[in-house]
Amino acid sequence: MDTKLGFELKNEQIQKLVMTPELIQSIQILQFNSQELEAYAADQLLSNPCLEKAENPADAKNEEINWKEIIRNSHHDTHEFAGSSHKNDSDEDYSYEKFTASELRLADYLTSQLNIATNDKHLINAGEYIIDSIDDNGYLTLPLEEIAAESGECLETCEDSLHLIQCFDPTGVGARDIKECLIIQLAQLGILTEDFNTLISEHFENLGMGRITAVAKAMNLEKSEIQTMTDIIRTLEPKPGRKYIPSSDTCYVTPDVSVEKTENGYIVTSNDATTPQLTISSYYNDLLSKADNDKELAEYLSDRIASATWLINSINQRKTTITNIVKEIVEYQRDFFDKGSKYMKPLTLRTIADNLDIHQSTVSRAVNGKYMQTPRGVFEIRHFFTSGVQSTSDGNMSSSSVKEHIKELVDAEDKAKPLSDQAIVSLLNDKGISISRRTVAKYRDELGILSSSKRKKY
């Protein structure tokens, strides 16, 4: 069989998304929350002389302007925009993944590491169940036997997957208790010794109470040695997942849209206070029309005006996109607005994207960090996108609605004999809501409801 090597020319038509700086700017603007957008607009006002606030137009002044200096300082920077971290990247380097929310959740972070760490579908399947059972502090909350039963994987596979996850960042994640968490961290630091293991496994309670002398005597070590190991342990992170917990600090938000109830239904209006009001400077616009004899000045002004126009259009498009998405949400979640949170329906980003004929990622960016004022209070727009569980009476029921049912059951329980998670499962099944005990435990934890043993009152 002869093999021939050679070169040839051929035409080939391919589709390729070119991420221009203008497109990147539009994506960023869509994703910005109101505070970030305001700060970004302020930067643009400083960097682009052809841009000004609409409500406070600049006075035309006849002062001498050193255009040569301005043009020289801005050379090769006419299409860039403030705040971009991709100024020196080639077009091929731009991707949608670079424009994600700055606040990374622990589960997402662990899942991304899992998909990189292995291609084994069984390890990944077990790992996803394990990650789903890791709380905000980074601890595994369910026994591996239960995870094995839920995932359909054997116990050995679940153990292997857990050991894999326990090697991920943040160090100590996936531990089943504080002792295992600390031991994992020491092992990853390469300083885990038999003495460290014994100190944590057998004397942790005494250590926590500062009983250095008693621990030293029990371990037949010098007090100085125990103190040194104690000092090292104190540098470890007892809650490895906490840096990924969404900020709960008190803050004040300005809703991007408002929903008002009228006799004819609900009306959605955009809050102009959250949208920078920008316009093209009439002074520089007029100056451009008179710059025919100065080619360099004309090119500079033309480029700056084009950049300002794109910015204004992108901000207006952001406003329109958010408003249209909220209108769809209000229509879909009408029962919630009429009757309350128990009537929230399952809703996905794809549903809204399909209804508006836009990309799912556009919906995701548009709702991220945005808020809406409603007759029932202020909500993050993402609040209305919820997963669902099976319900024999109403088809699918949203997780928010199920949480309301769980809360009602716990509020009405006999405090001397509080409901176990399995009892809650049975009562929900009686209501036609099919749900697992693991999911009940997860929702209960998210509601801040303690386990039945901790809710009991004597």
Side-chain angles (χ1 to χ4, degrees), residues 296-320:
E296 192 175 16
L297 173 58
E299 288 180 352
Y300 173 79
L301 290 176
S302 178
D303 190 83
R304 293 288 83 190
I305 289 174
S307 178
T309 301
W310 184 278
L311 174 63
I312 293 170
N313 290 339
S314 295
I315 291 175
N316 289 335
Q317 183 60 47
R318 172 188 180 273
K319 173 182 173 181
T320 300

Side-chain angles (χ1 to χ4, degrees), residues 22-135:
E22 291 84 2
L23 180 56
I24 297 168
Q25 183 187 49
S26 294
I27 292 172
Q28 270 199 324
I29 287 173
L30 180 61
Q31 183 167 294
F32 283 152
N33 60 35
S34 56
Q35 292 83 6
E36 291 169 337
L37 181 61
E38 186 66 33
Y40 180 76
D43 287 341
Q44 292 297 296
L45 284 167
L46 291 175
S47 64
N48 191 341
C50 299
L51 192 66
E52 66 183 19
K53 288 187 176 181
E55 72 275 14
N56 187 25
D59 297 325
K61 298 181 181 179
N62 295 320
E63 59 182 315
E64 285 294 323
I65 301 177
N66 189 341
W67 289 108
K68 300 295 182 183
E69 182 67 21
I70 292 177
I71 295 171
R72 183 163 56 251
N73 290 339
S74 62
H75 192 51
H76 299 310
D77 191 36
T78 54
H79 290 290
E80 294 172 351
F81 52 94
S84 171
S85 60
H86 308 285
K87 290 182 179 180
N88 297 319
D89 290 351
S90 63
D91 286 345
E92 289 76 9
D93 289 333
Y94 293 120
S95 64
Y96 281 105
E97 287 73 18
K98 290 186 178 181
F99 301 95
T100 57
S102 58
E103 187 171 67
L104 183 64
R105 294 182 179 274
L106 179 61
D108 297 331
Y109 187 37
L110 294 176
T111 300
S112 67
Q113 293 179 79
L114 177 65
N115 291 325
I116 293 173
T118 180
N119 291 323
D120 189 309
K121 64 180 182 180
H122 297 290
L123 287 177
I124 290 176
N125 182 46
E128 288 174 346
Y129 275 82
I130 290 171
I131 290 171
D132 189 49
S133 303
I134 292 176
D135 65 19

Side-chain angles (χ1 to χ4, degrees), residues 389-397 428-434:
V389 299
Q390 290 185 349
S391 170
T392 57
S393 58
D394 302 313
N396 284 339
M397 179 177 289
L428 290 176
N429 284 335
D430 292 341
K431 294 175 177 284
I433 302 171
S434 178

Side-chain angles (χ1 to χ4, degrees), residues 351-406:
T351 299
I352 299 298
D354 290 345
N355 289 349
L356 293 176
D357 195 25
I358 58 179
H359 198 276
Q360 185 174 333
S361 63
T362 300
V363 179
S364 178
R365 292 185 178 89
V367 304
N368 185 50
K370 317 302 191 306
Y371 291 80
M372 55 192 288
Q373 173 76 54
T374 77
R376 293 190 176 275
V378 177
F379 296 92
E380 187 173 7
I381 299 178
R382 275 193 178 274
H383 173 77
F384 296 93
F385 293 91
T386 62
S387 58
V389 299
Q390 290 185 349
S391 170
T392 57
S393 58
D394 302 313
N396 284 339
M397 179 177 289
S398 76
S399 57
S400 297
S401 180
V402 176
K403 289 178 183 178
E404 284 296 316
H405 283 280
I406 292 174

Side-chain angles (χ1 to χ4, degrees), residues 136-172:
D136 286 341
N137 289 323
Y139 287 91
L140 182 62
T141 59
L142 290 180
L144 284 180
E145 291 79 9
E146 187 170 337
I147 291 175
E150 289 283 347
S151 66
E153 305 292 347
C154 67
L155 182 59
E156 183 179 357
T157 297
C158 292
E159 289 173 344
D160 290 341
S161 187
L162 176 60
H163 292 152
L164 182 64
I165 290 170
Q166 288 179 341
C167 294
F168 293 171
D169 181 66
T171 307

Side-chain angles (χ1 to χ4, degrees), residues 235-393:
T235 66
L236 304 178
E237 174 55 76
K239 297 180 180 180
R242 67 170 142 193
K243 67 179 179 180
Y244 296 97
I245 299 175
S247 175
S248 59
D249 293 338
T250 301
C251 61
Y252 299 92
V253 298
T254 303
D256 294 84
V257 291
S258 296
V259 179
E260 297 180 49
K261 187 174 184 179
T262 67
E263 294 181 356
N264 299 320
Y266 292 92
I267 296 177
V268 178
T269 56
S270 176
N271 184 358
D272 289 338
T274 65
T275 305
Q277 305 299 312
L278 305 176
T279 188
I280 306 298
S281 168
S282 58
Y283 169 68
Y284 294 113
N285 224 346
D286 292 341
L287 189 60
L288 175 62
S289 65
K290 301 174 184 177
D292 295 337
N293 296 328
D294 192 331
K295 182 180 179 180
E296 192 175 16
L297 173 58
E299 288 180 352
Y300 173 79
L301 290 176
S302 178
D303 190 83
R304 293 288 83 190
I305 289 174
S307 178
T309 301
W310 184 278
L311 174 63
I312 293 170
N313 290 339
S314 295
I315 291 175
N316 289 335
Q317 183 60 47
R318 172 188 180 273
K319 173 182 173 181
T320 300
T321 301
I322 294 173
T323 302
N324 288 340
I325 288 173
V326 172
K327 286 180 180 178
E328 287 292 324
I329 291 173
V330 171
E331 181 66 26
Y332 190 91
Q333 300 287 14
R334 181 67 179 263
D335 287 345
F336 165 85
F337 292 100
D338 287 341
K339 304 174 185 178
S341 57
K342 279 181 63 176
Y343 298 88
M344 182 90 77
K345 297 178 182 178
L347 177 61
T348 64
L349 297 172
R350 182 177 294 280
T351 299
I352 299 298
D354 290 345
N355 289 349
L356 293 176
D357 195 25
I358 58 179
H359 198 276
Q360 185 174 333
S361 63
T362 300
V363 179
S364 178
R365 292 185 178 89
V367 304
N368 185 50
K370 317 302 191 306
Y371 291 80
M372 55 192 288
Q373 173 76 54
T374 77
R376 293 190 176 275
V378 177
F379 296 92
E380 187 173 7
I381 299 178
R382 275 193 178 274
H383 173 77
F384 296 93
F385 293 91
T386 62
S387 58
V389 299
Q390 290 185 349
S391 170
T392 57
S393 58

